[in-house]
Amino acid sequence: MNNKEKLKKIIAKDINPNDYYNDLVKKIKKKEINRIGKYILIPTCLLIFISGYLLIKSNITPNNNILLESSSYNFNNSSLKVVENNNDLMIPFPFKENANIIIPTDLVQSKTYIVFTKDNDIYSYILKYFNNDKSINVAYAKDYEPMKEYYYSEEVFKIKKINNIALKIYNDDINYYIEFNYNNYNFSITTTNINEKELNNFLKSILK
Amino acid sequence: MASQINLSKFNDIYDKTNKDLLKYIIIKCHNINDTKDIIQDTYLELWRILNKKDLVEDNLKSYLIGIANNKIKKYYKKNWTLKTISLFTKDNNDLELINTIEDKININDLVIKQDVWDRVWKYIKDKKNQDIPKVFYLYYELDLTIKEIANLLSKTESYIKHLIYRTLKELQDNFGNGDNYNE
């Protein structure tokens, strides 16, 4: 073999289209496996995500105190009774005396309710500001946890501070749920279709 | 799940096109060591395209050249570290060499040990002037003439001759007569 043939042999060994092809096929097969994996993995992940989301949403479990949707809160429950207050009783104002409460201007209606135990003791109070599709319900009680219209596990609540008062807040698509202790009252506030700005203004106005 | 285009059909396409494409990529690339990556990227892209649509077989070669051009641009945009190589070294020794090198140096006249040819080719591939390994590939592997190589690389024939003969002289000096080359 002369030098030219030797060099040619070395070049052919180094720049070898057959070797390139073998590597190429390996890459193609690897891509195919990844592609198949993607078609399985992405739907699986989506399924897990949707299941998780539905699971969290389904944390709403009714407790015995849940009020049914009704035009008024006159509702007889096995343990508690909610009665609309038609100014028959003076209900305590749970906020500071000089509090200037900021309610969204379109919440044109307001009502108050008293929650009684089966022994006709006052259990808690409810202030409700509302219109046809928006509302702010402020339930409060001195010695008890006020009656709530929801139940969520503790984990879903986030802590926020307003004027150094710690609030537990959770929200879903249309509702906010806020719990805190202030001015010696335990509060449980539920809002429907109230935006974050309106909520912030309201909370800041009552938590002075 | 099988691909729409099976591997045996792809293998046929590869067999028909790889030689011309390889030559094209070697001519166009900046460094002969990049050839493998670029040619594989080109055929992978072809694979992706063939799985989505049919291409007329007559057009495959020109299609591949188009893909290769894009891949080369992309490859060097990503990995751009090359400096412009002048034909002549800074100290312009080459100007004298063109006149002094005999143009009758033949590779078969070199006395180089059998087991050194791997290093010889590596030496050629590692040259700063990457036209040298390209020229050697086209001249010794593909048996093209100096005129053909000059046309392909858009250079003059004297330049191509100069590269070959100067490199052969270097090979003689570095690898012939007892192997003086230290890597």
Side-chain angles (χ1 to χ4, degrees), chain B residues 86-89 93-103 129 132 135-136 146 156-170:
Chain B
S86 163
L87 170 62
F88 299 103
T89 56
N93 279 342
D94 291 357
L95 282 171
E96 294 171 30
L97 281 171
I98 284 178
N99 291 325
T100 59
I101 290 179
E102 292 177 26
D103 61 358
N129 183 355
I132 295 172
V135 165
F136 267 69
I146 288 183
T156 62
E157 287 181 42
S158 58
Y159 170 69
I160 302 299
K161 266 193 220 177
H162 155 74
L163 285 187
I164 294 173
Y165 297 134
R166 185 184 71 173
T167 308
L168 287 177
K169 177 110 182 30
E170 285 176 22

PDB file of all heavy atoms in Angstrom, chain B residues 86-89 93-103 129 132 135-136 146 156-170:
ATOM      1  N   SER B  86      -5.712  34.250   7.963  1.00  0.00           N
ATOM      2  CA  SER B  86      -5.120  34.821   6.761  1.00  0.00           C
ATOM      3  C   SER B  86      -4.465  33.706   5.970  1.00  0.00           C
ATOM      4  O   SER B  86      -4.030  32.702   6.526  1.00  0.00           O
ATOM      5  CB  SER B  86      -4.083  35.856   7.187  1.00  0.00           C
ATOM      6  OG  SER B  86      -3.228  36.141   6.114  1.00  0.00           O
ATOM      7  N   LEU B  87      -4.401  33.894   4.657  1.00  0.00           N
ATOM      8  CA  LEU B  87      -3.725  32.900   3.830  1.00  0.00           C
ATOM      9  C   LEU B  87      -2.272  32.771   4.255  1.00  0.00           C
ATOM     10  O   LEU B  87      -1.699  31.709   4.301  1.00  0.00           O
ATOM     11  CB  LEU B  87      -3.823  33.324   2.358  1.00  0.00           C
ATOM     12  CG  LEU B  87      -2.968  32.541   1.379  1.00  0.00           C
ATOM     13  CD1 LEU B  87      -3.388  31.088   1.382  1.00  0.00           C
ATOM     14  CD2 LEU B  87      -3.112  33.115  -0.018  1.00  0.00           C
ATOM     15  N   PHE B  88      -1.699  33.887   4.579  1.00  0.00           N
ATOM     16  CA  PHE B  88      -0.290  33.869   4.945  1.00  0.00           C
ATOM     17  C   PHE B  88      -0.139  34.103   6.434  1.00  0.00           C
ATOM     18  O   PHE B  88      -0.883  34.838   7.030  1.00  0.00           O
ATOM     19  CB  PHE B  88       0.470  34.954   4.170  1.00  0.00           C
ATOM     20  CG  PHE B  88       0.402  34.745   2.688  1.00  0.00           C
ATOM     21  CD1 PHE B  88      -0.450  35.502   1.911  1.00  0.00           C
ATOM     22  CD2 PHE B  88       1.148  33.759   2.091  1.00  0.00           C
ATOM     23  CE1 PHE B  88      -0.532  35.287   0.552  1.00  0.00           C
ATOM     24  CE2 PHE B  88       1.076  33.544   0.732  1.00  0.00           C
ATOM     25  CZ  PHE B  88       0.234  34.305  -0.056  1.00  0.00           C
ATOM     26  N   THR B  89       0.868  33.451   7.015  1.00  0.00           N
ATOM     27  CA  THR B  89       1.118  33.661   8.439  1.00  0.00           C
ATOM     28  C   THR B  89       1.646  35.062   8.652  1.00  0.00           C
ATOM     29  O   THR B  89       2.049  35.730   7.698  1.00  0.00           O
ATOM     30  CB  THR B  89       2.148  32.662   8.988  1.00  0.00           C
ATOM     31  OG1 THR B  89       3.329  32.787   8.197  1.00  0.00           O
ATOM     32  CG2 THR B  89       1.616  31.258   8.874  1.00  0.00           C
ATOM     33  N   ASN B  93       6.214  34.031   5.992  1.00  0.00           N
ATOM     34  CA  ASN B  93       7.172  33.045   5.472  1.00  0.00           C
ATOM     35  C   ASN B  93       6.670  32.398   4.206  1.00  0.00           C
ATOM     36  O   ASN B  93       7.450  32.009   3.349  1.00  0.00           O
ATOM     37  CB  ASN B  93       7.422  31.946   6.513  1.00  0.00           C
ATOM     38  CG  ASN B  93       8.414  32.413   7.549  1.00  0.00           C
ATOM     39  OD1 ASN B  93       9.143  33.377   7.315  1.00  0.00           O
ATOM     40  ND2 ASN B  93       8.454  31.738   8.685  1.00  0.00           N
ATOM     41  N   ASP B  94       5.349  32.277   4.127  1.00  0.00           N
ATOM     42  CA  ASP B  94       4.765  31.565   2.996  1.00  0.00           C
ATOM     43  C   ASP B  94       5.103  32.207   1.655  1.00  0.00           C
ATOM     44  O   ASP B  94       5.187  31.536   0.639  1.00  0.00           O
ATOM     45  CB  ASP B  94       3.234  31.505   3.135  1.00  0.00           C
ATOM     46  CG  ASP B  94       2.844  30.599   4.280  1.00  0.00           C
ATOM     47  OD1 ASP B  94       3.746  30.018   4.888  1.00  0.00           O
ATOM     48  OD2 ASP B  94       1.638  30.495   4.544  1.00  0.00           O
ATOM     49  N   LEU B  95       5.249  33.523   1.671  1.00  0.00           N
ATOM     50  CA  LEU B  95       5.556  34.206   0.412  1.00  0.00           C
ATOM     51  C   LEU B  95       6.838  33.657  -0.185  1.00  0.00           C
ATOM     52  O   LEU B  95       6.965  33.457  -1.386  1.00  0.00           O
ATOM     53  CB  LEU B  95       5.703  35.708   0.643  1.00  0.00           C
ATOM     54  CG  LEU B  95       4.398  36.479   0.785  1.00  0.00           C
ATOM     55  CD1 LEU B  95       4.656  37.905   1.235  1.00  0.00           C
ATOM     56  CD2 LEU B  95       3.653  36.496  -0.539  1.00  0.00           C
ATOM     57  N   GLU B  96       7.817  33.406   0.670  1.00  0.00           N
ATOM     58  CA  GLU B  96       9.065  32.855   0.169  1.00  0.00           C
ATOM     59  C   GLU B  96       8.879  31.407  -0.223  1.00  0.00           C
ATOM     60  O   GLU B  96       9.415  30.956  -1.212  1.00  0.00           O
ATOM     61  CB  GLU B  96      10.145  32.940   1.256  1.00  0.00           C
ATOM     62  CG  GLU B  96      10.506  34.380   1.585  1.00  0.00           C
ATOM     63  CD  GLU B  96      11.406  34.451   2.800  1.00  0.00           C
ATOM     64  OE1 GLU B  96      12.173  33.506   3.031  1.00  0.00           O
ATOM     65  OE2 GLU B  96      11.339  35.452   3.509  1.00  0.00           O
ATOM     66  N   LEU B  97       8.082  30.691   0.584  1.00  0.00           N
ATOM     67  CA  LEU B  97       7.947  29.262   0.350  1.00  0.00           C
ATOM     68  C   LEU B  97       7.319  28.979  -1.005  1.00  0.00           C
ATOM     69  O   LEU B  97       7.634  28.000  -1.650  1.00  0.00           O
ATOM     70  CB  LEU B  97       7.108  28.621   1.454  1.00  0.00           C
ATOM     71  CG  LEU B  97       7.869  28.358   2.752  1.00  0.00           C
ATOM     72  CD1 LEU B  97       6.920  27.935   3.845  1.00  0.00           C
ATOM     73  CD2 LEU B  97       8.934  27.293   2.537  1.00  0.00           C
ATOM     74  N   ILE B  98       6.367  29.817  -1.421  1.00  0.00           N
ATOM     75  CA  ILE B  98       5.721  29.557  -2.705  1.00  0.00           C
ATOM     76  C   ILE B  98       6.772  29.476  -3.814  1.00  0.00           C
ATOM     77  O   ILE B  98       6.666  28.671  -4.730  1.00  0.00           O
ATOM     78  CB  ILE B  98       4.693  30.656  -3.034  1.00  0.00           C
ATOM     79  CG1 ILE B  98       3.437  30.431  -2.187  1.00  0.00           C
ATOM     80  CG2 ILE B  98       4.317  30.652  -4.493  1.00  0.00           C
ATOM     81  CD1 ILE B  98       2.369  31.456  -2.383  1.00  0.00           C
ATOM     82  N   ASN B  99       7.766  30.294  -3.693  1.00  0.00           N
ATOM     83  CA  ASN B  99       8.785  30.285  -4.734  1.00  0.00           C
ATOM     84  C   ASN B  99       9.796  29.167  -4.570  1.00  0.00           C
ATOM     85  O   ASN B  99      10.390  28.721  -5.546  1.00  0.00           O
ATOM     86  CB  ASN B  99       9.554  31.628  -4.735  1.00  0.00           C
ATOM     87  CG  ASN B  99       8.647  32.740  -5.198  1.00  0.00           C
ATOM     88  OD1 ASN B  99       7.803  32.525  -6.062  1.00  0.00           O
ATOM     89  ND2 ASN B  99       8.802  33.914  -4.632  1.00  0.00           N
ATOM     90  N   THR B 100       9.969  28.718  -3.332  1.00  0.00           N
ATOM     91  CA  THR B 100      11.050  27.761  -3.121  1.00  0.00           C
ATOM     92  C   THR B 100      10.582  26.321  -3.099  1.00  0.00           C
ATOM     93  O   THR B 100      11.360  25.425  -3.329  1.00  0.00           O
ATOM     94  CB  THR B 100      11.788  28.050  -1.802  1.00  0.00           C
ATOM     95  OG1 THR B 100      10.827  27.977  -0.738  1.00  0.00           O
ATOM     96  CG2 THR B 100      12.413  29.428  -1.822  1.00  0.00           C
ATOM     97  N   ILE B 101       9.282  26.126  -2.765  1.00  0.00           N
ATOM     98  CA  ILE B 101       8.834  24.726  -2.696  1.00  0.00           C
ATOM     99  C   ILE B 101       8.773  24.145  -4.097  1.00  0.00           C
ATOM    100  O   ILE B 101       8.196  24.727  -5.002  1.00  0.00           O
ATOM    101  CB  ILE B 101       7.430  24.635  -2.054  1.00  0.00           C
ATOM    102  CG1 ILE B 101       7.525  24.963  -0.570  1.00  0.00           C
ATOM    103  CG2 ILE B 101       6.857  23.248  -2.219  1.00  0.00           C
ATOM    104  CD1 ILE B 101       6.202  24.925   0.126  1.00  0.00           C
ATOM    105  N   GLU B 102       9.384  22.996  -4.205  1.00  0.00           N
ATOM    106  CA  GLU B 102       9.279  22.335  -5.502  1.00  0.00           C
ATOM    107  C   GLU B 102       7.873  21.810  -5.638  1.00  0.00           C
ATOM    108  O   GLU B 102       7.322  21.220  -4.714  1.00  0.00           O
ATOM    109  CB  GLU B 102      10.257  21.157  -5.544  1.00  0.00           C
ATOM    110  CG  GLU B 102      11.703  21.615  -5.538  1.00  0.00           C
ATOM    111  CD  GLU B 102      12.639  20.427  -5.506  1.00  0.00           C
ATOM    112  OE1 GLU B 102      12.241  19.337  -5.971  1.00  0.00           O
ATOM    113  OE2 GLU B 102      13.755  20.592  -4.994  1.00  0.00           O
ATOM    114  N   ASP B 103       7.320  22.005  -6.763  1.00  0.00           N
ATOM    115  CA  ASP B 103       5.948  21.522  -6.928  1.00  0.00           C
ATOM    116  C   ASP B 103       5.915  20.085  -7.423  1.00  0.00           C
ATOM    117  O   ASP B 103       4.940  19.630  -7.969  1.00  0.00           O
ATOM    118  CB  ASP B 103       5.168  22.440  -7.860  1.00  0.00           C
ATOM    119  CG  ASP B 103       5.796  22.493  -9.234  1.00  0.00           C
ATOM    120  OD1 ASP B 103       6.847  21.854  -9.444  1.00  0.00           O
ATOM    121  OD2 ASP B 103       5.232  23.173 -10.095  1.00  0.00           O
ATOM    122  N   ASN B 129      -5.269  26.864   9.390  1.00  0.00           N
ATOM    123  CA  ASN B 129      -5.903  27.127   8.103  1.00  0.00           C
ATOM    124  C   ASN B 129      -6.705  25.888   7.717  1.00  0.00           C
ATOM    125  O   ASN B 129      -6.144  24.884   7.278  1.00  0.00           O
ATOM    126  CB  ASN B 129      -4.854  27.439   7.042  1.00  0.00           C
ATOM    127  CG  ASN B 129      -5.484  27.777   5.705  1.00  0.00           C
ATOM    128  OD1 ASN B 129      -6.707  27.682   5.544  1.00  0.00           O
ATOM    129  ND2 ASN B 129      -4.682  28.177   4.741  1.00  0.00           N
ATOM    130  N   ILE B 132      -6.673  23.503   4.564  1.00  0.00           N
ATOM    131  CA  ILE B 132      -5.724  22.409   4.340  1.00  0.00           C
ATOM    132  C   ILE B 132      -6.386  21.040   4.477  1.00  0.00           C
ATOM    133  O   ILE B 132      -6.305  20.227   3.544  1.00  0.00           O
ATOM    134  CB  ILE B 132      -4.493  22.540   5.278  1.00  0.00           C
ATOM    135  CG1 ILE B 132      -3.718  23.809   4.918  1.00  0.00           C
ATOM    136  CG2 ILE B 132      -3.594  21.314   5.195  1.00  0.00           C
ATOM    137  CD1 ILE B 132      -2.602  24.166   5.861  1.00  0.00           C
ATOM    138  N   VAL B 135      -8.730  20.527   1.550  1.00  0.00           N
ATOM    139  CA  VAL B 135      -8.035  20.247   0.293  1.00  0.00           C
ATOM    140  C   VAL B 135      -7.538  18.804   0.295  1.00  0.00           C
ATOM    141  O   VAL B 135      -7.679  18.086  -0.695  1.00  0.00           O
ATOM    142  CB  VAL B 135      -6.867  21.247   0.084  1.00  0.00           C
ATOM    143  CG1 VAL B 135      -5.916  20.766  -0.991  1.00  0.00           C
ATOM    144  CG2 VAL B 135      -7.418  22.622  -0.259  1.00  0.00           C
ATOM    145  N   PHE B 136      -6.966  18.383   1.406  1.00  0.00           N
ATOM    146  CA  PHE B 136      -6.463  17.006   1.482  1.00  0.00           C
ATOM    147  C   PHE B 136      -7.595  16.008   1.313  1.00  0.00           C
ATOM    148  O   PHE B 136      -7.426  14.982   0.657  1.00  0.00           O
ATOM    149  CB  PHE B 136      -5.725  16.773   2.807  1.00  0.00           C
ATOM    150  CG  PHE B 136      -4.248  17.010   2.680  1.00  0.00           C
ATOM    151  CD1 PHE B 136      -3.750  18.288   2.470  1.00  0.00           C
ATOM    152  CD2 PHE B 136      -3.346  15.961   2.744  1.00  0.00           C
ATOM    153  CE1 PHE B 136      -2.396  18.520   2.325  1.00  0.00           C
ATOM    154  CE2 PHE B 136      -1.981  16.171   2.603  1.00  0.00           C
ATOM    155  CZ  PHE B 136      -1.503  17.446   2.399  1.00  0.00           C
ATOM    156  N   ILE B 146      -6.897  19.533  -8.953  1.00  0.00           N
ATOM    157  CA  ILE B 146      -6.627  20.820  -8.298  1.00  0.00           C
ATOM    158  C   ILE B 146      -7.556  21.891  -8.855  1.00  0.00           C
ATOM    159  O   ILE B 146      -8.060  22.748  -8.121  1.00  0.00           O
ATOM    160  CB  ILE B 146      -5.130  21.199  -8.464  1.00  0.00           C
ATOM    161  CG1 ILE B 146      -4.325  20.279  -7.567  1.00  0.00           C
ATOM    162  CG2 ILE B 146      -4.889  22.670  -8.160  1.00  0.00           C
ATOM    163  CD1 ILE B 146      -2.849  20.526  -7.515  1.00  0.00           C
ATOM    164  N   THR B 156      -7.679  30.123  -5.928  1.00  0.00           N
ATOM    165  CA  THR B 156      -6.896  29.931  -7.146  1.00  0.00           C
ATOM    166  C   THR B 156      -6.204  28.571  -7.127  1.00  0.00           C
ATOM    167  O   THR B 156      -5.965  28.000  -6.062  1.00  0.00           O
ATOM    168  CB  THR B 156      -5.805  31.019  -7.279  1.00  0.00           C
ATOM    169  OG1 THR B 156      -4.920  30.899  -6.155  1.00  0.00           O
ATOM    170  CG2 THR B 156      -6.413  32.411  -7.308  1.00  0.00           C
ATOM    171  N   GLU B 157      -5.852  28.097  -8.296  1.00  0.00           N
ATOM    172  CA  GLU B 157      -5.156  26.811  -8.381  1.00  0.00           C
ATOM    173  C   GLU B 157      -3.801  26.879  -7.697  1.00  0.00           C
ATOM    174  O   GLU B 157      -3.385  25.918  -7.049  1.00  0.00           O
ATOM    175  CB  GLU B 157      -4.978  26.407  -9.847  1.00  0.00           C
ATOM    176  CG  GLU B 157      -6.281  25.960 -10.505  1.00  0.00           C
ATOM    177  CD  GLU B 157      -6.072  25.543 -11.944  1.00  0.00           C
ATOM    178  OE1 GLU B 157      -5.074  24.854 -12.237  1.00  0.00           O
ATOM    179  OE2 GLU B 157      -6.915  25.906 -12.793  1.00  0.00           O
ATOM    180  N   SER B 158      -3.121  28.001  -7.832  1.00  0.00           N
ATOM    181  CA  SER B 158      -1.791  28.107  -7.219  1.00  0.00           C
ATOM    182  C   SER B 158      -1.896  28.051  -5.693  1.00  0.00           C
ATOM    183  O   SER B 158      -1.034  27.484  -5.026  1.00  0.00           O
ATOM    184  CB  SER B 158      -1.083  29.379  -7.668  1.00  0.00           C
ATOM    185  OG  SER B 158      -1.847  30.509  -7.328  1.00  0.00           O
ATOM    186  N   TYR B 159      -2.956  28.606  -5.181  1.00  0.00           N
ATOM    187  CA  TYR B 159      -3.177  28.534  -3.732  1.00  0.00           C
ATOM    188  C   TYR B 159      -3.367  27.100  -3.289  1.00  0.00           C
ATOM    189  O   TYR B 159      -2.792  26.649  -2.293  1.00  0.00           O
ATOM    190  CB  TYR B 159      -4.380  29.393  -3.359  1.00  0.00           C
ATOM    191  CG  TYR B 159      -4.854  29.226  -1.931  1.00  0.00           C
ATOM    192  CD1 TYR B 159      -4.087  29.684  -0.862  1.00  0.00           C
ATOM    193  CD2 TYR B 159      -6.063  28.606  -1.647  1.00  0.00           C
ATOM    194  CE1 TYR B 159      -4.516  29.513   0.456  1.00  0.00           C
ATOM    195  CE2 TYR B 159      -6.503  28.439  -0.342  1.00  0.00           C
ATOM    196  CZ  TYR B 159      -5.723  28.901   0.697  1.00  0.00           C
ATOM    197  OH  TYR B 159      -6.155  28.745   1.992  1.00  0.00           O
ATOM    198  N   ILE B 160      -4.144  26.360  -4.037  1.00  0.00           N
ATOM    199  CA  ILE B 160      -4.416  24.958  -3.675  1.00  0.00           C
ATOM    200  C   ILE B 160      -3.121  24.153  -3.741  1.00  0.00           C
ATOM    201  O   ILE B 160      -2.786  23.380  -2.837  1.00  0.00           O
ATOM    202  CB  ILE B 160      -5.486  24.345  -4.606  1.00  0.00           C
ATOM    203  CG1 ILE B 160      -6.811  25.147  -4.550  1.00  0.00           C
ATOM    204  CG2 ILE B 160      -5.736  22.887  -4.255  1.00  0.00           C
ATOM    205  CD1 ILE B 160      -7.483  25.205  -3.216  1.00  0.00           C
ATOM    206  N   LYS B 161      -2.376  24.377  -4.803  1.00  0.00           N
ATOM    207  CA  LYS B 161      -1.090  23.653  -4.957  1.00  0.00           C
ATOM    208  C   LYS B 161      -0.171  24.003  -3.795  1.00  0.00           C
ATOM    209  O   LYS B 161       0.456  23.125  -3.209  1.00  0.00           O
ATOM    210  CB  LYS B 161      -0.404  24.124  -6.242  1.00  0.00           C
ATOM    211  CG  LYS B 161      -0.672  23.277  -7.451  1.00  0.00           C
ATOM    212  CD  LYS B 161       0.290  23.655  -8.554  1.00  0.00           C
ATOM    213  CE  LYS B 161      -0.470  23.639  -9.874  1.00  0.00           C
ATOM    214  NZ  LYS B 161       0.348  24.052 -11.004  1.00  0.00           N
ATOM    215  N   HIS B 162      -0.143  25.268  -3.491  1.00  0.00           N
ATOM    216  CA  HIS B 162       0.722  25.745  -2.421  1.00  0.00           C
ATOM    217  C   HIS B 162       0.378  25.047  -1.095  1.00  0.00           C
ATOM    218  O   HIS B 162       1.266  24.595  -0.357  1.00  0.00           O
ATOM    219  CB  HIS B 162       0.574  27.267  -2.300  1.00  0.00           C
ATOM    220  CG  HIS B 162       0.894  27.805  -0.945  1.00  0.00           C
ATOM    221  ND1 HIS B 162       2.188  27.894  -0.485  1.00  0.00           N
ATOM    222  CD2 HIS B 162       0.107  28.289   0.033  1.00  0.00           C
ATOM    223  CE1 HIS B 162       2.165  28.409   0.743  1.00  0.00           C
ATOM    224  NE2 HIS B 162       0.926  28.655   1.083  1.00  0.00           N
ATOM    225  N   LEU B 163      -0.902  24.921  -0.824  1.00  0.00           N
ATOM    226  CA  LEU B 163      -1.318  24.281   0.434  1.00  0.00           C
ATOM    227  C   LEU B 163      -0.867  22.822   0.469  1.00  0.00           C
ATOM    228  O   LEU B 163      -0.344  22.344   1.476  1.00  0.00           O
ATOM    229  CB  LEU B 163      -2.836  24.333   0.586  1.00  0.00           C
ATOM    230  CG  LEU B 163      -3.477  25.659   0.955  1.00  0.00           C
ATOM    231  CD1 LEU B 163      -4.968  25.463   1.214  1.00  0.00           C
ATOM    232  CD2 LEU B 163      -2.832  26.302   2.157  1.00  0.00           C
ATOM    233  N   ILE B 164      -1.059  22.134  -0.655  1.00  0.00           N
ATOM    234  CA  ILE B 164      -0.722  20.707  -0.684  1.00  0.00           C
ATOM    235  C   ILE B 164       0.772  20.527  -0.503  1.00  0.00           C
ATOM    236  O   ILE B 164       1.231  19.768   0.365  1.00  0.00           O
ATOM    237  CB  ILE B 164      -1.181  20.057  -2.010  1.00  0.00           C
ATOM    238  CG1 ILE B 164      -2.699  20.055  -2.111  1.00  0.00           C
ATOM    239  CG2 ILE B 164      -0.646  18.632  -2.121  1.00  0.00           C
ATOM    240  CD1 ILE B 164      -3.237  19.589  -3.442  1.00  0.00           C
ATOM    241  N   TYR B 165       1.524  21.262  -1.299  1.00  0.00           N
ATOM    242  CA  TYR B 165       2.961  21.006  -1.315  1.00  0.00           C
ATOM    243  C   TYR B 165       3.625  21.501  -0.042  1.00  0.00           C
ATOM    244  O   TYR B 165       4.534  20.871   0.478  1.00  0.00           O
ATOM    245  CB  TYR B 165       3.591  21.613  -2.570  1.00  0.00           C
ATOM    246  CG  TYR B 165       3.047  20.988  -3.824  1.00  0.00           C
ATOM    247  CD1 TYR B 165       2.647  21.771  -4.901  1.00  0.00           C
ATOM    248  CD2 TYR B 165       2.878  19.604  -3.927  1.00  0.00           C
ATOM    249  CE1 TYR B 165       2.125  21.200  -6.044  1.00  0.00           C
ATOM    250  CE2 TYR B 165       2.343  19.021  -5.059  1.00  0.00           C
ATOM    251  CZ  TYR B 165       1.966  19.823  -6.123  1.00  0.00           C
ATOM    252  OH  TYR B 165       1.438  19.250  -7.257  1.00  0.00           O
ATOM    253  N   ARG B 166       3.174  22.585   0.461  1.00  0.00           N
ATOM    254  CA  ARG B 166       3.755  23.050   1.728  1.00  0.00           C
ATOM    255  C   ARG B 166       3.465  22.061   2.833  1.00  0.00           C
ATOM    256  O   ARG B 166       4.326  21.762   3.665  1.00  0.00           O
ATOM    257  CB  ARG B 166       3.207  24.419   2.097  1.00  0.00           C
ATOM    258  CG  ARG B 166       3.887  24.976   3.340  1.00  0.00           C
ATOM    259  CD  ARG B 166       3.308  26.275   3.785  1.00  0.00           C
ATOM    260  NE  ARG B 166       1.971  26.070   4.338  1.00  0.00           N
ATOM    261  CZ  ARG B 166       1.266  27.011   4.935  1.00  0.00           C
ATOM    262  NH1 ARG B 166       1.772  28.229   5.076  1.00  0.00           N
ATOM    263  NH2 ARG B 166       0.054  26.753   5.392  1.00  0.00           N
ATOM    264  N   THR B 167       2.235  21.556   2.883  1.00  0.00           N
ATOM    265  CA  THR B 167       1.879  20.608   3.949  1.00  0.00           C
ATOM    266  C   THR B 167       2.667  19.315   3.801  1.00  0.00           C
ATOM    267  O   THR B 167       3.123  18.741   4.793  1.00  0.00           O
ATOM    268  CB  THR B 167       0.367  20.324   3.928  1.00  0.00           C
ATOM    269  OG1 THR B 167      -0.337  21.560   3.940  1.00  0.00           O
ATOM    270  CG2 THR B 167      -0.062  19.505   5.123  1.00  0.00           C
ATOM    271  N   LEU B 168       2.841  18.877   2.555  1.00  0.00           N
ATOM    272  CA  LEU B 168       3.638  17.662   2.365  1.00  0.00           C
ATOM    273  C   LEU B 168       5.051  17.870   2.873  1.00  0.00           C
ATOM    274  O   LEU B 168       5.658  16.971   3.481  1.00  0.00           O
ATOM    275  CB  LEU B 168       3.654  17.274   0.883  1.00  0.00           C
ATOM    276  CG  LEU B 168       2.350  16.674   0.326  1.00  0.00           C
ATOM    277  CD1 LEU B 168       2.477  16.393  -1.162  1.00  0.00           C
ATOM    278  CD2 LEU B 168       1.956  15.401   1.064  1.00  0.00           C
ATOM    279  N   LYS B 169       5.585  19.049   2.623  1.00  0.00           N
ATOM    280  CA  LYS B 169       6.938  19.337   3.111  1.00  0.00           C
ATOM    281  C   LYS B 169       6.970  19.286   4.634  1.00  0.00           C
ATOM    282  O   LYS B 169       7.897  18.739   5.227  1.00  0.00           O
ATOM    283  CB  LYS B 169       7.355  20.717   2.603  1.00  0.00           C
ATOM    284  CG  LYS B 169       8.706  21.214   3.060  1.00  0.00           C
ATOM    285  CD  LYS B 169       9.717  21.249   1.923  1.00  0.00           C
ATOM    286  CE  LYS B 169      11.117  21.702   2.295  1.00  0.00           C
ATOM    287  NZ  LYS B 169      11.622  21.447   3.612  1.00  0.00           N
ATOM    288  N   GLU B 170       5.953  19.849   5.231  1.00  0.00           N
ATOM    289  CA  GLU B 170       5.870  19.801   6.698  1.00  0.00           C
ATOM    290  C   GLU B 170       5.780  18.366   7.188  1.00  0.00           C
ATOM    291  O   GLU B 170       6.405  17.991   8.183  1.00  0.00           O
ATOM    292  CB  GLU B 170       4.635  20.569   7.182  1.00  0.00           C
ATOM    293  CG  GLU B 170       4.784  22.073   7.116  1.00  0.00           C
ATOM    294  CD  GLU B 170       3.495  22.790   7.522  1.00  0.00           C
ATOM    295  OE1 GLU B 170       2.655  22.185   8.221  1.00  0.00           O
ATOM    296  OE2 GLU B 170       3.334  23.959   7.121  1.00  0.00           O
TER     297      GLU B 170
END
